[in-house]
Amino acid sequence: AEGGAGLPQGAGLSECTVAAAETLDGVIQTLSKNFAEGVDYLQVLVAVFGDVLKSAEHGHLKSFFIIVPALCMSFCEASRIAKDRMLKSVKGKPVYFTDDGFAIGVAYILAILGQNRHFDSLHWFDAQKGVYMAELRAIEGRREGMRRAKDKDGLEDAMFQEKRVRTMAREVEMLEWSL
């Protein structure tokens, strides 16, 4: 047999506990209903903030997409430095690094401002790949000359430069996948 509020008799719960359980049940039902209806909360947030950020008061954001490449380079460099420091400090222990807040934030702001197409039209990621490929070709050319001259210090320096360029290219590529 059941007692009040659908609880089995003898459960021995206080009225306060029963009221809290009923409130929790209501919250869970509301959440289940809202998610089942397919409400896209990200689109709701984009719409709400979009109206505010597209207003005349925030007109300076009309060209936000233009500063994104500089922000991306700064982020990639900071990320590379943080990873290097982290790897040096743990000395052989397994470590994991993640920082997707920047990418999510930039993607969100570009979406709110409706500037994704503008940013894409810069073809910045493709241009960066070209820059890194050119740098790697130049380093390889210098390395060949140093091999012939048997310049060990120069070869070591070139290997370090190549590693740095490849690391930055990988950082930019990972950021591209995140945006």
Side-chain angles (χ1 to χ4, degrees):
E2 292 192 5
L7 294 173
Q9 282 185 347
L13 300 174
S14 69
E15 287 183 38
C16 183
T17 303
V18 171
E22 288 173 348
T23 301
L24 179 61
D25 285 342
V27 169
I28 291 172
Q29 283 179 332
T30 301
L31 286 173
S32 297
K33 179 181 150 218
N34 287 344
F35 282 111
E37 290 175 357
V39 174
D40 187 351
Y41 289 102
L42 184 58
Q43 285 297 9
V44 171
L45 286 171
V46 167
V48 169
F49 285 104
D51 291 341
V52 172
L53 292 179
K54 288 180 183 177
S55 70
E57 186 178 330
H58 298 286
H60 59 282
L61 294 175
K62 241 190 253 189
S63 300
F64 173 77
F65 69 97
I66 291 174
I67 67 167
V68 171
L71 294 172
C72 289
M73 287 305 297
S74 179
F75 170 77
C76 288
E77 183 65 21
S79 180
R80 183 191 62 78
I81 290 169
K83 288 177 184 178
D84 286 348
R85 284 183 183 159
M86 183 179 64
L87 290 173
K88 287 177 185 175
S89 70
V90 294
K91 295 182 179 140
K93 296 178 186 170
V95 295
Y96 303 95
F97 178 88
T98 182
D99 185 357
D100 59 355
F102 173 79
I104 290 170
V106 168
Y108 183 66
I109 292 171
L110 287 172
I112 287 173
L113 297 173
Q115 296 180 3
N116 282 314
R117 284 189 181 155
H118 296 298
F119 175 69
D120 291 343
S121 73
L122 297 175
H123 301 284
W124 181 75
F125 288 110
D126 294 333
Q128 279 306 113
K129 289 175 191 171
V131 166
Y132 292 131
M133 293 305 295
E135 283 185 43
L136 289 171
R137 284 191 298 273
I139 291 169
E140 182 58 35
R142 287 193 305 271
R143 240 179 31 195
E144 272 307 308
M146 290 173 201
R147 274 192 203 118
R148 283 191 290 266
K150 298 184 181 187
D151 180 0
K152 288 185 180 183
D153 290 337
L155 276 171
E156 194 174 296
D157 186 49
M159 288 172 51
F160 175 76
Q161 289 175 353
E162 179 183 3
K163 182 180 176 187
R164 181 190 53 80
V165 170
R166 288 190 188 283
T167 300
M168 280 301 294
R170 194 170 35 254
E171 288 294 330
V172 169
E173 185 177 28
M174 288 189 291
L175 181 58
E176 179 183 17
W177 293 337
S178 299
L179 284 177

